[in-house]
Amino acid sequence: MGLEAFYPENEAESAYGIDYRGLYGKGYRGIIFDIDNTLVPHGAPADGRARGFFDSLRELGFRTVLLSNNKEPRVKPFAEAVASEYLCKAGKPGRAGYEKAMRIMGTTPENTLFVGDQLFTDVWGAKKAGIVTFLVRPIHPKEEIQIVLKRRLEHIVLFFYHRQRLK
Protein backbone atom coordinates (compact mmCIF):
# COMPACT_ATOMS: atom_id res chain seq x y z
CA MET A 1 0.00 0.00 0.00
CA GLY A 2 1.43 3.35 -1.06
CA LEU A 3 0.71 6.79 0.29
CA GLU A 4 -1.94 7.19 -2.43
CA ALA A 5 -4.31 5.15 -0.24
CA PHE A 6 -4.54 8.23 2.00
CA TYR A 7 -4.82 10.88 -0.72
CA PRO A 8 -8.18 12.66 -0.86
CA GLU A 9 -9.83 13.24 -4.21
CA ASN A 10 -10.64 16.81 -3.15
CA GLU A 11 -9.55 19.39 -0.59
CA ALA A 12 -11.57 22.29 0.79
CA GLU A 13 -10.97 25.00 3.36
CA SER A 14 -14.24 24.13 5.09
CA ALA A 15 -17.14 21.71 4.89
CA TYR A 16 -19.30 24.81 4.61
CA GLY A 17 -17.55 26.06 1.46
CA ILE A 18 -17.99 23.07 -0.86
CA ASP A 19 -20.21 23.50 -3.94
CA TYR A 20 -22.93 21.04 -2.93
CA ARG A 21 -25.37 22.38 -5.53
CA GLY A 22 -22.85 21.55 -8.26
CA LEU A 23 -22.21 18.12 -6.77
CA TYR A 24 -25.94 17.42 -6.66
CA GLY A 25 -26.06 18.38 -10.33
CA LYS A 26 -23.36 15.77 -11.00
CA GLY A 27 -25.58 13.06 -9.48
CA TYR A 28 -24.40 12.85 -5.87
CA ARG A 29 -27.25 12.15 -3.45
CA GLY A 30 -25.70 11.24 -0.09
CA ILE A 31 -23.07 12.84 2.11
CA ILE A 32 -21.33 11.23 5.06
CA PHE A 33 -19.82 13.73 7.49
CA ASP A 34 -17.37 13.51 10.33
CA ILE A 35 -18.39 15.86 13.19
CA ASP A 36 -15.48 16.99 15.35
CA ASN A 37 -13.23 19.57 13.71
CA THR A 38 -15.13 19.08 10.45
CA LEU A 39 -18.47 20.72 11.31
CA VAL A 40 -17.71 22.23 14.75
CA PRO A 41 -14.70 22.41 17.07
CA HIS A 42 -13.95 19.17 18.92
CA GLY A 43 -16.71 18.41 21.43
CA ALA A 44 -18.82 21.49 20.58
CA PRO A 45 -22.59 21.22 20.18
CA ALA A 46 -24.33 21.91 16.89
CA ASP A 47 -24.63 25.64 16.34
CA GLY A 48 -26.92 27.74 14.17
CA ARG A 49 -24.50 27.53 11.27
CA ALA A 50 -24.52 23.71 11.35
CA ARG A 51 -28.33 23.55 11.66
CA GLY A 52 -28.81 25.94 8.73
CA PHE A 53 -26.22 24.06 6.70
CA PHE A 54 -28.04 20.72 7.09
CA ASP A 55 -31.36 22.41 6.28
CA SER A 56 -29.84 23.69 3.03
CA LEU A 57 -28.48 20.23 2.16
CA ARG A 58 -31.93 18.70 2.67
CA GLU A 59 -33.48 21.44 0.50
CA LEU A 60 -31.06 20.49 -2.29
CA GLY A 61 -32.18 16.86 -1.96
CA PHE A 62 -29.23 15.31 -0.12
CA ARG A 63 -29.47 12.58 2.49
CA THR A 64 -26.86 12.77 5.25
CA VAL A 65 -25.29 10.55 7.88
CA LEU A 66 -22.91 11.65 10.62
CA LEU A 67 -20.20 9.00 11.00
CA SER A 68 -18.20 9.24 14.21
CA ASN A 69 -15.91 7.08 16.30
CA ASN A 70 -17.31 8.89 19.35
CA LYS A 71 -19.91 7.40 21.67
CA GLU A 72 -23.63 8.08 21.46
CA PRO A 73 -23.76 10.79 24.18
CA ARG A 74 -21.58 12.95 21.88
CA VAL A 75 -23.09 12.05 18.52
CA LYS A 76 -26.85 11.68 19.14
CA PRO A 77 -27.52 15.24 20.44
CA PHE A 78 -25.56 16.73 17.53
CA ALA A 79 -27.45 14.57 15.03
CA GLU A 80 -30.81 15.49 16.56
CA ALA A 81 -29.93 19.20 16.44
CA VAL A 82 -29.12 19.06 12.70
CA ALA A 83 -31.82 16.46 11.94
CA SER A 84 -29.41 13.93 10.42
CA GLU A 85 -29.05 10.19 10.67
CA TYR A 86 -25.94 9.08 12.56
CA LEU A 87 -23.66 6.19 13.39
CA CYS A 88 -21.52 6.31 16.52
CA LYS A 89 -18.60 4.07 17.50
CA ALA A 90 -18.23 3.65 13.73
CA GLY A 91 -14.84 1.96 13.70
CA LYS A 92 -13.27 4.31 11.16
CA PRO A 93 -11.19 3.66 9.08
CA GLY A 94 -12.96 0.32 8.67
CA ARG A 95 -15.33 0.08 5.70
CA ALA A 96 -18.34 -1.23 7.61
CA GLY A 97 -19.48 2.14 9.00
CA TYR A 98 -19.31 3.80 5.59
CA GLU A 99 -21.22 0.93 4.01
CA LYS A 100 -23.89 1.05 6.72
CA ALA A 101 -24.20 4.83 6.22
CA MET A 102 -24.85 4.27 2.51
CA ARG A 103 -27.49 1.65 3.30
CA ILE A 104 -29.22 4.16 5.61
CA MET A 105 -29.22 6.80 2.88
CA GLY A 106 -30.08 4.38 0.08
CA THR A 107 -26.98 5.44 -1.86
CA THR A 108 -24.02 3.73 -3.50
CA PRO A 109 -20.30 4.57 -3.59
CA GLU A 110 -20.89 6.21 -6.98
CA ASN A 111 -23.37 8.80 -5.64
CA THR A 112 -22.01 9.31 -2.12
CA LEU A 113 -19.48 11.83 -0.82
CA PHE A 114 -17.49 11.89 2.38
CA VAL A 115 -16.37 15.08 4.16
CA GLY A 116 -13.86 14.91 7.03
CA ASP A 117 -10.72 16.43 8.50
CA GLN A 118 -8.43 13.43 9.07
CA LEU A 119 -6.53 11.39 6.50
CA PHE A 120 -5.88 8.21 8.50
CA THR A 121 -9.44 7.67 9.71
CA ASP A 122 -11.89 9.68 7.61
CA VAL A 123 -10.34 9.76 4.14
CA TRP A 124 -8.70 6.34 4.23
CA GLY A 125 -11.90 4.62 5.37
CA ALA A 126 -14.06 6.36 2.77
CA LYS A 127 -11.60 5.50 0.01
CA LYS A 128 -11.62 1.83 1.08
CA ALA A 129 -15.41 1.95 0.69
CA GLY A 130 -15.06 3.50 -2.81
CA ILE A 131 -16.49 6.90 -1.80
CA VAL A 132 -15.26 10.25 -3.19
CA THR A 133 -13.60 12.22 -0.41
CA PHE A 134 -13.23 15.85 0.62
CA LEU A 135 -10.50 16.61 3.13
CA VAL A 136 -11.25 19.85 4.98
CA ARG A 137 -9.01 21.89 7.23
CA PRO A 138 -9.59 21.27 10.94
CA ILE A 139 -11.79 24.00 12.40
CA HIS A 140 -9.85 24.41 15.62
CA PRO A 141 -6.16 23.75 16.42
CA LYS A 142 -6.81 22.37 19.94
CA GLU A 143 -6.96 18.58 19.66
CA GLU A 144 -6.35 15.47 21.74
CA ILE A 145 -2.73 14.29 21.87
CA GLN A 146 -3.32 11.19 19.71
CA ILE A 147 -4.77 13.41 16.98
CA VAL A 148 -1.88 15.88 17.28
CA LEU A 149 0.53 12.99 16.62
CA LYS A 150 -1.50 11.81 13.61
CA ARG A 151 -1.50 15.36 12.23
CA ARG A 152 2.29 15.29 12.06
CA LEU A 153 2.14 12.16 9.92
CA GLU A 154 -0.64 13.71 7.84
CA HIS A 155 1.63 16.67 7.02
CA ILE A 156 4.16 14.24 5.52
CA VAL A 157 1.52 12.47 3.43
CA LEU A 158 0.03 15.78 2.29
CA PHE A 159 3.47 17.05 1.30
CA PHE A 160 3.81 14.16 -1.19
CA TYR A 161 0.16 14.48 -2.24
CA HIS A 162 0.55 18.17 -3.10
CA ARG A 163 3.88 17.56 -4.81
CA GLN A 164 2.31 14.86 -7.01
CA ARG A 165 -0.65 17.13 -7.88
CA LEU A 166 1.74 19.82 -9.12
CA LYS A 167 3.27 17.45 -11.67
Side-chain angles (χ1 to χ4, degrees), residues 85-100:
E85 299 285 342
Y86 71 93
L87 292 168
C88 54
K89 295 169 65 175
K92 293 184 290 184
R95 291 171 50 156
Y98 298 88
E99 291 169 347
K100 186 172 182 182

Side-chain angles (χ1 to χ4, degrees), residues 90-125:
K92 293 184 290 184
R95 291 171 50 156
Y98 298 88
E99 291 169 347
K100 186 172 182 182
M102 287 187 284
R103 284 194 301 275
I104 289 169
M105 294 186 293
T107 61
T108 65
E110 293 76 28
N111 65 2
T112 303
L113 304 166
F114 180 84
V115 180
D117 70 300
Q118 293 188 52
L119 286 179
F120 300 130
T121 51
D122 298 333
V123 169
W124 188 29

Side-chain angles (χ1 to χ4, degrees), residues 17-80:
I18 296 169
D19 177 14
Y20 295 100
R21 182 177 304 282
L23 292 165
Y24 192 86
K26 291 180 179 178
Y28 292 99
R29 295 299 180 260
I31 310 170
I32 303 169
F33 287 97
D34 177 50
I35 299 172
D36 286 320
N37 252 346
T38 296
L39 297 169
V40 293
H42 188 79
D47 55 17
R49 181 183 189 194
R51 288 190 297 275
F53 174 61
F54 276 80
D55 287 345
S56 70
L57 292 174
R58 275 189 295 282
E59 287 173 16
L60 285 172
F62 279 109
R63 298 282 313 269
T64 62
V65 172
L66 301 171
L67 188 68
S68 177
N69 285 344
N70 276 307
K71 295 177 183 166
E72 193 162 34
R74 164 66 181 132
V75 182
K76 184 179 180 183
F78 191 98
E80 288 174 344

